[in-house]
Amino acid sequence: MTADTAVTLENIHQVLKDDIRVKIAAVDIDGILRGKLLLKEKFLQVVESGFGFCSVVFGWDMHDAMYTTPVEFGGKDCQYFDLVAKVDLSSYRRIPWEENTPFFFVHLMHPNTNQPLYCCPRVFLQSAVDTCAQDLQCKAYCGVEYEFFCFKENAETLDNKGYSNLKPLTVGMTGYSLLRPTQNQEFYYRAFDWLHEFNVDVESWHTESGPGVFEAAIKYAEAKEAGDRASLFKTSMKQIAAKHGFLASFMAKPYESMPGCSGHMHFSLIDRQGKNLFYPFESSDASTIHPHISKTLEQFLAGVLHALPSILAILAPTINSYKRLIGNFWTPISVSWGIENRLGAVRVIVPPTTSPNGTRIEMRVSGADINPHLAIGAVLKCGIWGIKTRQTLPVPALEEKGQTGVPLARTLQEAVVAMDGKSSVARQVLGDDFVDHFVKTRKHEWGLWQNAVTDYELKRYMELI
């Protein structure tokens, strides 16, 4: 059977009949895959009932340092109990660069409540997808685009060099170059083909402006699958690059003087008849702001824009994220939107530059350092909230006198304050349990930064102060 096979409990033994091992993974709060390799017999024993997965993955940060803030899954009195990992059979695929090892995602349940875990990123996105289907009778679709740097380095050389003076894969500012990819053609084509075999199809990828920079647009898909693919893409690209002697980095802003790495996300809602709800196929569905924008799109966009300041910490989750959002290289710094305008936080894409069924919005705030399950889920939840509560746009399009809304936070600390507010849209829409946990993880991140002595400080103050 192929990776396209619909896997069920009835055929799982047949699907894995020639295998001896299975790889599984959960997604942590930073979007990092945490998993293990299982003997096939062990996997088959737990595929229906689930199995224990240590809760510490939500009690520590990306470097396995315990949170300095009080979360349920850490602290001096924590017992580090097991969560219940449930195998998602629909996520089946095979890893072509790992001898076609079968792979499955898991989602996590809380053992005390037997409810989906409030901080599990796949659960978070699934709840948005479910709300869309139940309340709006439609499916959400999404596509993620990543920019990322590639270096002629590995983890060991990074450490030896102190993470500086790295050698880029290629030189110069050569966006959309047909020459540069041929200098690493085996990597370039093998990555494209392997990702296709892995069911993480890339619609297009090309060089971006910067040394060793690529941009990849992952194939548009239903939102849950889009989140899985966007998450898998980052780990897959790191693994494939490593196999070719390179290092792929999704850090938002590696260089002060160069463009950062975006993680733009495109969204649309499709009804049960296959029509795009963002386009007014009937004149009665058209909004008053543009003949090709539906009332549904307007309300979805309004919900996202009202929520944007309080979900910014999800779209820009690291200290480094805010070095990218400084108003140059087409990065947004305010609550703003425009029609085919790349200067705003959200770009609305309508005919004639796309078909009616291709009408969509593009979230342009997010960087390559996002956790895609959380970022997609947050935008969807806020957009759905906008539709259900009939939100109105907080600011006109940029084309109308270039008006913008409130400035976006300039630091992770400011973004966390906006999210943590008692009356924040994030709390209303995403829920207190999730917001409380996520805020604590970002406060931990900010605390580490506050205590760090940086190269900038040494260079500025060591001699002259």
Side-chain angles (χ1 to χ4, degrees), residues 27 44 55 65 95 111 118 123 202 214 266 287 290 349 429 463:
V27 183
L44 292 174
S55 60
I95 311 171
Y118 57 85
V123 166
V202 174
F214 292 98
H266 294 247
S287 71
H290 191 281
I349 303 168
V429 177
E463 179 191 2

Side-chain angles (χ1 to χ4, degrees), residues 47 137 152 159 168 170 300 363 368 437:
V47 67
Q137 289 75 54
K152 294 180 180 178
D159 189 56
T170 58
F300 186 98
M363 169 55 70
H437 179 82

Side-chain angles (χ1 to χ4, degrees), residues 401-431:
K401 302 178 182 178
Q403 296 183 50
T404 62
V406 299
L408 295 177
R410 283 292 296 118
T411 67
L412 180 59
Q413 183 185 42
E414 293 175 21
V416 166
V417 169
M419 175 179 254
D420 199 23
K422 289 183 179 180
S423 60
S424 73
V425 177
R427 284 200 176 276
Q428 296 177 52
V429 177
L430 310 184

Side-chain angles (χ1 to χ4, degrees), residues 122-236:
R122 294 190 80 244
V123 166
F124 182 84
L125 176 53
Q126 183 66 58
S127 68
V129 170
D130 291 344
T131 301
C132 206
Q134 294 163 10
D135 294 357
L136 303 181
Q137 289 75 54
C138 66
K139 292 181 179 180
Y141 279 73
C142 181
V144 179
E145 304 167 347
Y146 284 125
E147 297 169 342
F148 57 99
F149 279 81
C150 286
F151 301 97
K152 294 180 180 178
E153 306 287 352
N154 56 48
E156 185 175 352
T157 63
L158 275 184
D159 189 56
N160 291 340
K161 291 183 173 184
Y163 295 84
S164 62
N165 299 316
L166 308 184
K167 187 173 184 179
L169 185 59
T170 58
V171 298
M173 308 290 278
T174 53
Y176 298 97
S177 171
L178 295 185
L179 175 63
R180 286 291 184 263
T182 60
Q183 296 172 359
N184 300 282
Q185 185 167 302
E186 182 179 350
F187 161 69
Y188 190 68
Y189 284 111
R190 186 173 286 176
F192 191 93
D193 295 344
W194 273 346
L195 287 165
H196 169 71
E197 294 174 37
F198 193 42
N199 195 25
V200 182
D201 276 303
V202 174
E203 285 188 335
S204 66
W205 85 306
H206 57 86
T207 60
E208 254 297 351
S209 188
V213 183
F214 292 98
E215 178 176 349
I218 303 168
K219 186 178 179 180
Y220 215 60
E222 290 186 32
K224 177 192 171 188
E225 178 65 19
D228 285 351
R229 291 180 183 181
S231 181
L232 289 170
F233 178 87
K234 292 170 80 168
T235 296
S236 299

Side-chain angles (χ1 to χ4, degrees), residues 436-450:
D436 286 343
H437 179 82
F438 188 77
V439 161
K440 289 173 182 177
T441 70
R442 297 311 97 182
K443 285 183 176 179
H444 165 84
E445 193 77 13
W446 180 260
L448 295 180
W449 163 250
Q450 278 192 309

Side-chain angles (χ1 to χ4, degrees), residues 12 14 61 139 231 260 271 343 361:
I12 186 65
Q14 179 65 20
D61 66 16
K139 292 181 179 180
S231 181
D271 70 13
L343 302 182
I361 70 165

